[in-house]
Amino acid sequence: METLYVICVGVMTFCGVFLCLRGRTFSVVVGLTMLSYAVNLFLFSSGRLSLDGAAILGMAEEYADPLPQALTLTAIVIGFAMIAFVVILAIRARADLGNDFVDGRDPPDSDKLVKPNRGKA
Amino acid sequence: MSLFWITAILLIGVLVPVVTERFGRTVNTLFTMLAPAIALAYIISLVPAVLAGEVIVEYLEWIPSMGLTLSMHLDGLALMFALLILGIGLLIILYARYYLSAKEASGRFFAYLILFMTAMLSIVLSNNVLQMWMAWEVTSISSFLLISFWSSKSESRKGARMALTVTGAGGLALLAGLLLIADIVGSYELSVILASGDLITQHALYPVALILVLLGAFTKSAQFPFHFWLPHAMAAPTPVSAYLHSATMVKAGIFLLARMYPVLSGTEMWFLIVSMTGLITLLLGAYVALFKHDLKGLLAYSTVSHLGLITLLLGLDTKLAAVAALFHIMNHAVFKASLFMAAGIIDHESGTRDMRKLNGLWRFMPYTATLAMVAAASMAGVPLFNGFLSKEMFLAETIHSSALGYVSWIIPVLATLAGIFAVAYSMRFIHDVFFNGDPIDLPKTPHEPPRYMKVPIEILVALCLLVGIFPNIMVGDLLAAAASSVLGTEELPYYSLAIWHGFNLPLLMSAIAISGGLIVYAYRNHLYRFQAQFREADEKLIFEGVVQTVVGWATKAHDGLSNGSLQRYVSALLIFTIIITAVPLINLATETTFRPDQAVSGIEITAAIILCLSAIATVIYHRKRMVALITLSVVGLIVSVAFARFSAPDLALTQLAVEVVTVILLMLALFFLPQKTPAESSPSRVVRDVGIAAAIGGIVATINYAFITQPVDSIAEFFLANSKTGGGGTNAVNVILVDFRGLDTLGEILVLGVAALGIFKLLARVRLAIPSANENGLAWSQDRHPPILAMISQSLLPLALLVSFYIFLRGHNMPGGGFIAGLITSVALIQQYIAHGVDWVKPRIKVDYQTLIALGVLIATLTGIGSWFFGRPFMTTWFDYFDIPFIGEIELASALVFDLGVYLTVVGATLLILANLGKLTSVHRPIAEE
């Protein structure tokens, strides 16, 4: 089961990272969301995987580790706040710059060098 | 009174001149002199104790747990320097009163000067190397301000920048050296370090530490090859030059050498580096000084030369040499300060410093000329003046030295040669300026300066004479005290401070130097002609060139790495991550033993397949944004199922609720963003990104596998054991959130609130184009709020609120709590926004979401503070059981109130984000796609 679990985490990380490397803001937001799922699962698994062991006293014989769960719970909520912030930033960037490129300008994805003094352009 | 008061009073003294500037120059000067005078009086009151051999040490605990203590000490060496710094400093202030014109900002000038004085004094009084280094840096900065005082002149700015660059770079080297030494010894206290000489010199890192410390000292005291900044610092007002280049600044480097002498000296390396550097500097400075036509330029190179002399003495392997070095520090400070002041008077009263124009000034200012002649004679080492005594000691020590083995004879020979040049340039200072024909084209007709401008020089010249004639009475005890702290022993080698030691070799060398100097001066024109064949290198141009080159490299490196593309930075960061994690991972596999996998059931395999397929589908369809969003939400759902499966019901609930909110948010966002992503990545780019992503995914999976198959050694037992008894709840996860790690949770809801407020500001006055049709060109439905959806949502609301209330209440004992309840409430309310639109909801929900966030954070904080009133630490939980009629026994805990704060913040933040984004759809009417 552990092998299966880490394969899932690995696949999600792969998808998240690949999307984060795209040139458009929405892809990056989707990638970040995916990556935060992977990170949450990763963090959570530091308490090891146990079945039928919810950390509610008196409900199980052997309890799962409650600490990573508590940390992951806040991580999920904070992750949501972060995604929300990034997506609103993307909207604001679209409104102010008139495009949705991560680099804020055309062309985002070519191998041509982007000049550093972008403010003057 | 304590030694700390000295720096405290002087620091207050920095402000005094700024405040009193409006009362005129004289009042300003007198008030400025107050703080140094008090400090000097206090130091003088300590003189008997220090001369008796006492070392005054004082501590002020700062962060004792980190070994950071402010500490001051006053021993013989520190006393000698403190007297020089404060004594000459006071004379400089008086002199500057007459030197600066009424139009100049004397308040600012004096403030810089006192700041510099404070820093310099702190260097010599520090008993902690870090503290000393701080003061060292402040001298670099304040001297920069002083040198660039006439900031309208280009040469002032350039000179100041050069001085700051050189001494600042040396300061960094010094810091590294001091940290190394402190690391070897295990203490920052100078008193500890001074007692650990053998430990340091025998340590493997001693050569590194020595070179770093010497770099600091040599840059500061303008030793070859760092001497070039000093002549350029002459662009400063003359009182500054007189102060910085006689008693302070450049002497800080010498002080450091003397301070570290008991610890770092005694090795072959020290003698070789220090003596050779000193010797080269001594010769070079003396030779170049002769050819300088600028009065201050001559004095500058003479200072370089004398600093070389002192350094050479500290690098000779006899104990007497160190004594001679200390004696010369005092003497040089006294005669050089008076010479600079005399040069300043000449410049001030005649309008130029060019010795080709200045001739025959004796007729105009005989009194100043006499004073200058005495000081110059002292500089040349003429008998009856103080310079002669220390120079005689210096010559004697060069003879006794064996620092260079068989070629040690070269030291006295070269020392005599330098002596010849010293006499020649001193001669030039006197003869060329005060005699030698008539002045040529002077801007002003020279005359004697104001009465009190001469007082500082008179005092110093009197000292030259008194020390020169009665050395033992004047400075014998002080020198002995300073020498014993440098040599680290009470028993000093035998020496006698007297003018006459009989006919001996040093006297002969002096005689050669004086007669040789006179001959060289007489035939100087031949030397000038010889020297004129060489092209004079302008250090300023070379320095600027080096700086420009370095800046050029830095710019090139920066532009290469940072081209403004965020995409590029992300890939660089990820590639770097792959590189630094790969190596430990390779070793990992061989070192660990794995726990066998648990059995897998069909459900898990099915869920994993769905998850992986939807994740990959998200990537494949990421250019069709709506489809990607749907597949993404499938992934999120499976993740929450996974949490439920692996015994984390709280997480499953949270993930489920967050999933809903996230998808609604992203759909709303999609409304304002383009619907499709055009294909723009080049194939090679895609291949590269797949490679990076695969490597990162593989690494994450490997690390994850490596640790989840390890036996657990967790602190979970503590939480499980104390959750009921200490926190009053059976749901350990919730108890951790609101009790054990309550402070973390408080931090997290604060972050949530701040993020929401940030979004609120980002959305303020945003100008968005709203598409009039979807990606396929179909117009949006006119039926904005379908009645069935509206009806069902509305009737579901009370039920949803009830559920969230229930989840909230039971959270302490069963899965649930503030976070989950808050999210459920939010979803229920968002449902109303979706079904009815913002315009309908707004008048019905009159809650201001910002207030809700503030209220939530406030409640949570106050609950935490509440425990203070019961004498408990922040966030201690209180709980008890109550028997309430009709309901039965119920447990009430203060954690519940804290959880209420969490709940309110989550509701407020979520709705603030979504409602504000949603509002944009109604504020603007649909506009055509751009």
Side-chain angles (χ1 to χ4, degrees), chain A residues 1-3 21-22 24 37 45 48-50 53 56-57 65 69 74 92 94 100 103 108-109 114 118, chain B residues 563-567 597-598 625 647 659 672 680-681 689 704 708 710 714 730 748 762 764 815 930:
Chain A
M1 187 150 64
E2 275 78 0
T3 314
L21 287 168
R22 297 302 91 209
R24 299 279 186 157
Y37 293 151
S45 70
R48 310 299 183 269
L49 306 179
S50 58
I56 302 199
L57 301 183
D65 193 337
Q69 293 193 16
T74 49
R92 180 81 207 207
R94 166 111 204 265
D100 69 333
D103 289 345
D109 214 11
V114 182
R118 86 165 54 148
Chain B
N563 65 350
S565 163
L566 295 177
Q567 258 189 298
D597 267 27
Q598 297 175 48
R625 297 183 173 188
S647 320
E659 191 51 40
F672 296 108
E680 0 177 63
S681 296
D689 290 351
N704 199 357
I708 62 170
Q710 290 297 301
S714 155
T730 50
E748 313 236 24
L762 272 179
E930 55 185 282

Side-chain angles (χ1 to χ4, degrees), chain B residues 725-807:
Chain B
T725 51
T730 50
N731 182 3
V733 177
N734 185 269
V735 175
I736 290 174
L737 282 175
V738 297
D739 188 348
F740 294 124
R741 309 292 307 166
L743 193 61
D744 287 359
T745 310
L746 182 64
E748 313 236 24
I749 59 170
L750 241 142
V751 171
L752 191 64
V754 170
L757 291 178
I759 288 169
F760 179 63
K761 283 310 285 179
L762 272 179
L763 286 178
R765 281 197 293 276
V766 68
R767 300 207 146 272
L768 279 168
I770 296 174
S772 53
N774 78 349
E775 74 222 72
N776 299 324
L778 290 171
W780 301 113
S781 161
Q782 290 303 307
D783 187 10
R784 289 167 67 92
H785 305 296
I788 296 177
L789 179 65
M791 287 309 291
I792 293 177
S793 306
Q794 208 172 335
S795 43
L796 270 177
L797 179 67
L799 196 64
L801 290 180
L802 196 68
V803 168
S804 85
F805 185 62
Y806 169 67
I807 295 254

Side-chain angles (χ1 to χ4, degrees), chain B residues 544-603:
Chain B
E544 281 299 317
V546 170
V547 169
Q548 291 301 331
T549 316
V550 172
V551 169
W553 289 339
T555 314
K556 215 177 270 175
H558 173 264
D559 287 354
L561 288 171
S562 152
N563 65 350
S565 163
L566 295 177
Q567 258 189 298
R568 195 179 154 133
Y569 300 161
V570 172
S571 1
L573 211 65
L574 290 172
I575 291 170
F576 187 66
T577 310
I578 295 170
I579 293 168
I580 57 166
T581 45
V583 179
L585 272 189
I586 290 164
N587 300 329
L588 192 69
T590 54
E591 284 168 8
T592 45
T593 49
F594 296 116
R595 207 168 63 161
D597 267 27
Q598 297 175 48
V600 176
S601 71
I603 305 169

Side-chain angles (χ1 to χ4, degrees), chain B residues 53 129 153 156 194 255 275 412 420 442 509 534 550 553 555 576 594 652 656 671 704 806 810 872 886 903:
Chain B
V129 287
K153 290 191 197 166
S156 290
L194 288 183
F255 170 81
S275 66
I420 291 173
L442 286 188
M509 286 159 78
F534 299 98
V550 172
W553 289 339
T555 314
F576 187 66
F594 296 116
L656 206 58
F671 185 63
N704 199 357
Y806 169 67
R810 73 170 205 169
R872 297 298 186 79
F886 306 114
Y903 169 83

Side-chain angles (χ1 to χ4, degrees), chain B residues 686-708:
Chain B
V686 172
V687 169
R688 193 197 75 178
D689 290 351
V690 166
I692 294 175
I696 297 274
I699 287 171
V700 168
T702 314
I703 296 175
N704 199 357
Y705 186 76
F707 73 69
I708 62 170

Side-chain angles (χ1 to χ4, degrees), chain B residues 12 237 341 361 520 530-531 566 681 740 765 839:
Chain B
I12 297 166
M341 289 193 218
L361 289 190
V520 167
F530 169 72
Q531 191 60 23
L566 295 177
S681 296
F740 294 124
R765 281 197 293 276
D839 301 331

